[in-house]
Amino acid sequence: MSLTITQESELSGRYFIDFKDDSFQKDGYINFDKKTFTLKQTNSLTHTGTINYGKTLTSFEYINSDIIIDFRTEDIGKDTINFQVHNKKAGPINYLDISVNSGKFIKNK
């Protein structure tokens, strides 16, 4: 007898966003709808964008922005997901090597 563990492969639902440095980015809520997201920060700014699912990392970026957020794909389906924030204009090195902020997505139940 084998035990099969299923894992969600796409994000869906509403999460609270808790940024580590909220002087850089304000906390708020994010709604995931499999391939897209809508983020509403407490300062009333709303961002939308697309989600890119990779084998080990899942990332998304705001439309018309240099900000990218990524996290481990294996964390999809968990109630809390730790993430890193990157800025494409971070400098002459690979921007994915430098995190400008971090935080957690906390699932609303």
Side-chain angles (χ1 to χ4, degrees):
M1 179 175 164
S2 65
L3 176 63
T4 303
I5 298 173
T6 59
Q7 178 183 359
E8 294 179 40
S9 59
E10 295 181 312
L11 290 164
S12 63
R14 183 175 170 97
Y15 287 75
F16 174 73
I17 302 173
D18 181 20
F19 286 105
K20 184 175 183 179
D21 179 2
D22 62 1
S23 65
F24 176 67
Q25 292 168 302
K26 298 296 181 195
D27 295 344
Y29 289 91
I30 190 165
N31 293 306
F32 293 111
D33 188 18
K34 299 184 181 183
K35 302 283 185 207
T36 61
F37 71 91
T38 302
L39 181 149
K40 177 130 173 101
Q41 294 174 295
T42 56
N43 60 0
S44 298
L45 292 176
T46 300
H47 304 280
T48 59
T50 57
I51 303 169
N52 300 307
Y53 297 96
K55 185 175 181 177
T56 58
L57 281 180
T58 294
S59 66
F60 56 89
E61 58 187 292
Y62 309 163
I63 293 174
N64 298 323
S65 175
D66 292 317
I67 300 297
I68 293 178
I69 295 177
D70 66 17
F71 57 89
R72 293 171 28 169
T73 300
E74 68 186 34
D75 290 344
I76 294 174
K78 293 182 178 179
D79 288 340
T80 301
I81 299 172
N82 294 310
F83 64 83
Q84 300 293 316
V85 180
H86 309 279
N87 186 335
K88 289 182 183 178
K89 293 185 177 179
I93 59 174
N94 184 351
Y95 62 87
L96 293 174
D97 290 340
I98 298 175
S99 175
V100 296
N101 203 355
S102 63
K104 297 177 182 179
F105 297 127
I106 303 167
K107 179 90 172 173
N108 281 5
K109 294 186 179 189

